[in-house]
Amino acid sequence: MHKSFSHIGEFLKECHFKGSDNFFHKAADSYVILVQLSGCSDGTGFTVTYGLHPIQPNIKRVHHRDYLLENCVCKGQVLNSKNKPVWDYHMSNDALAILTKRLLGGIAALETKLSNS
């Protein structure tokens, strides 16, 4: 696990998310907000994707095998300062602050969408 993943995970846990390594979740009404950190296949960096997934009946725990970002009713990616989805593994504190601020903004937009529906 990369140090950046650890820092992002700590931030998400402060925001009441559960999970570890690269998959995090938080229940919100009848939905689950998912956050996934994914390494790029070419090793250049990683992406941060988030989404809103309906809670599935008959499943007691949220697990990344059951709740997939592909099945989210809405989702987004956190873009870097060049409006690209790939972030460097080795980030400065400023870049990490930008990433977490943008992630929090995306999550807030999901929560707003949820409360308006």
Side-chain angles (χ1 to χ4, degrees):
M1 178 173 62
H2 292 277
K3 189 174 183 180
S4 296
F5 282 26
S6 177
H7 289 304
I8 296 165
E10 289 172 21
F11 167 77
L12 288 168
K13 288 181 180 183
E14 289 174 10
C15 296
H16 309 289
F17 278 78
K18 296 178 182 179
S20 62
D21 296 334
N22 63 340
F23 181 78
F24 299 88
H25 66 277
K26 178 171 86 169
D29 295 326
S30 60
Y31 289 87
V32 175
I33 298 173
L34 305 176
V35 176
Q36 187 168 352
L37 311 174
S38 302
C40 297
S41 59
D42 62 4
T44 58
F46 68 99
T47 60
V48 181
T49 308
Y50 56 91
L52 192 61
H53 195 296
I55 290 180
Q56 296 186 25
N58 305 322
I59 295 180
K60 295 179 182 179
R61 289 186 43 194
V62 176
H63 194 274
H64 67 274
R65 287 184 299 246
D66 302 317
Y67 287 87
L68 302 174
L69 284 165
E70 294 82 27
N71 299 331
C72 286
V73 292
C74 57
K75 62 184 172 183
Q77 283 191 312
V78 181
L79 303 179
N80 64 25
S81 58
K82 297 176 184 174
N83 283 330
K84 303 286 183 187
V86 178
W87 293 82
D88 292 331
Y89 280 118
H90 304 288
M91 305 173 74
S92 68
N93 288 337
D94 290 341
L96 184 61
I98 290 168
L99 185 152
T100 55
K101 181 179 178 183
R102 290 180 181 177
L103 176 57
L104 191 59
I107 291 167
L110 290 180
E111 292 174 326
T112 299
K113 183 175 273 198
L114 181 61
S115 66
N116 290 335
S117 59

